[in-house]
Amino acid sequence: MKKGLVLILVLLLSISLVACTTAEAKLGKESKQIQETQNNDEEAVNSLVEDFGKRLQLVSLLAPEDVLEESMQENYGEFVAPSLLKEWLKDPVNAPGRLTSSPWPDRIEILGTEKISEGAYEVKGEIIEVANGSDEIVEKRPITLVVEKIEGKWLINDAHIGENSV
């Protein structure tokens, strides 16, 4: 009888061990999927910011209001939330874009990306400005962008631009 009881205990322990191992493997797989999703989201956010940065030189902030509105919609519309575009149109001097014929914004170099909530990232970078067709950096302007998933699409929803530096 004791042998039978021991056998049952061994069998129950084996089943428990298999169940725990299976659950642990499942949790590991789910954790890996979450990490991959977060990595994919971060890559998508960084790509959005870099693509947006390539459009900055196409928007002349000193253009007449109607031209500026059309230019911002055309060049920023797929990257920026409509509410932020409206803010920039009201105050174009504080929007990213081209202020002079030279230097002009060439790109945004990303310095860091941090997840700040579910569906939102903060991206810190620099707007790199060049002059006269040169690749030489003339000025750098710090920029902090908040990129949020809005209606299933990553969009820049907030931006803060600092002062020029070299």
Side-chain angles (χ1 to χ4, degrees):
M1 177 98 170
K2 285 186 180 183
K3 276 187 176 181
L5 194 53
V6 170
L7 253 142
I8 290 172
L9 284 173
V10 169
L11 184 60
L12 287 174
L13 286 173
S14 297
I15 291 170
S16 296
L17 184 60
V18 169
C20 286
T21 305
T22 303
E24 192 175 285
K26 185 177 179 184
L27 285 174
K29 184 178 179 182
E30 288 173 359
S31 176
K32 185 177 177 185
Q33 287 173 337
I34 290 168
Q35 183 65 38
E36 286 174 1
T37 299
Q38 187 170 334
N39 289 344
N40 291 341
D41 286 347
E42 190 171 320
E43 288 173 21
V45 165
N46 286 342
S47 180
L48 174 96
V49 169
E50 289 170 351
D51 291 345
F52 170 71
K54 293 174 188 172
R55 300 286 186 101
L56 298 179
Q57 64 184 289
L58 302 174
V59 176
S60 174
L61 299 174
L62 300 177
E65 188 177 327
D66 59 329
V67 174
L68 177 61
E69 184 174 354
E70 183 180 323
S71 182
M72 276 195 181
Q73 284 294 342
E74 182 179 317
N75 293 293
Y76 294 172
E78 67 182 284
F79 305 104
V80 177
S83 58
L84 183 56
L85 275 179
K86 284 180 187 176
E87 282 182 41
W88 287 345
L89 286 168
K90 287 179 187 173
D91 188 18
V93 175
N94 289 310
R98 190 173 185 148
L99 282 170
T100 60
S101 60
S102 185
W104 62 84
D106 183 58
R107 66 191 178 276
I108 294 176
E109 287 186 359
I110 296 172
L111 302 175
T113 303
E114 179 182 347
K115 186 174 184 173
I116 56 174
S117 70
E118 193 59 42
Y121 286 83
E122 181 180 78
V123 180
K124 293 184 182 218
E126 294 176 322
I127 298 172
I128 304 300
E129 296 190 4
V130 298
N132 300 327
S134 166
D135 286 337
E136 182 181 342
I137 297 171
V138 177
E139 292 182 12
K140 294 180 181 182
R141 294 179 71 191
I143 186 167
T144 301
L145 302 167
V146 175
V147 181
E148 294 184 44
K149 200 160 215 176
I150 300 172
E151 296 179 11
K153 184 177 180 184
W154 290 108
L155 293 172
I156 298 166
N157 201 30
D158 194 18
H160 298 281
I161 303 170
E163 296 298 316
N164 289 354
S165 65
V166 178

